[in-house]
Amino acid sequence: MKKSIKTVFAGLLSVAVLAIGVAYSPISTLASAECTQEQTITNGAACAQPDNAPTEIFGKGGIFQTITNAALYIIGALSVIMLIYGGIRYTISMGDAKNIEAAKNTILYAVIGIVISVLAYAIVNFVLVTLISASA
């Protein structure tokens, strides 16, 4: 029974990771003006860059904010999945004290993970907004 539950969660996790990967994969729409020029290294790099790709490292919509928000989203999603997993473990523990304690610990750590991911998201965005307003 435990092996089948782990297999189901592994499958759900892999589907979630693949879905997130597809959602964040850059689909390049090439700009025709840049791609028709003589192909040098600089022109090739500009041609390969998607039109909506961020060009700033810091700032609203910058690369740093995009990467940290994606990482925090993944951490938050994994915490919710672990919360559900802990609830299922608690439900099927059948009164065994050892299994109940392990399920409670899973739920506790999942809630801590959710809180940390929400606070980290808020801190990162607050710091970036503060840095932008201070430099402007």
Side-chain angles (χ1 to χ4, degrees), residues 16-102:
V17 167
L18 290 174
I20 291 170
V22 169
Y24 283 103
S25 67
I27 299 173
S28 178
T29 55
L30 303 177
S32 60
E34 295 177 17
C35 295
T36 58
Q37 297 175 358
E38 180 183 342
Q39 291 300 318
T40 62
I41 292 174
T42 307
N43 290 341
C47 182
Q49 182 178 8
D51 291 337
N52 60 354
T55 56
E56 306 239 351
I57 294 177
F58 296 105
K60 187 167 181 78
I63 295 170
F64 182 74
Q65 186 177 19
T66 304
I67 290 172
T68 54
N69 287 347
L72 293 172
Y73 175 77
I74 291 169
I75 291 169
L78 288 175
S79 296
V80 170
I81 289 170
M82 289 307 294
L83 182 66
I84 294 169
Y85 176 67
I88 290 172
R89 282 182 65 184
Y90 188 79
T91 303
I92 63 172
S93 66
M94 292 188 272
D96 185 16
K98 186 176 178 183
N99 289 340
I100 290 174
E101 187 65 30

Side-chain angles (χ1 to χ4, degrees), residues 95-110:
D96 185 16
K98 186 176 178 183
N99 289 340
I100 290 174
E101 187 65 30
K104 284 182 180 180
N105 285 339
T106 302
I107 292 170
L108 175 68
Y109 297 143

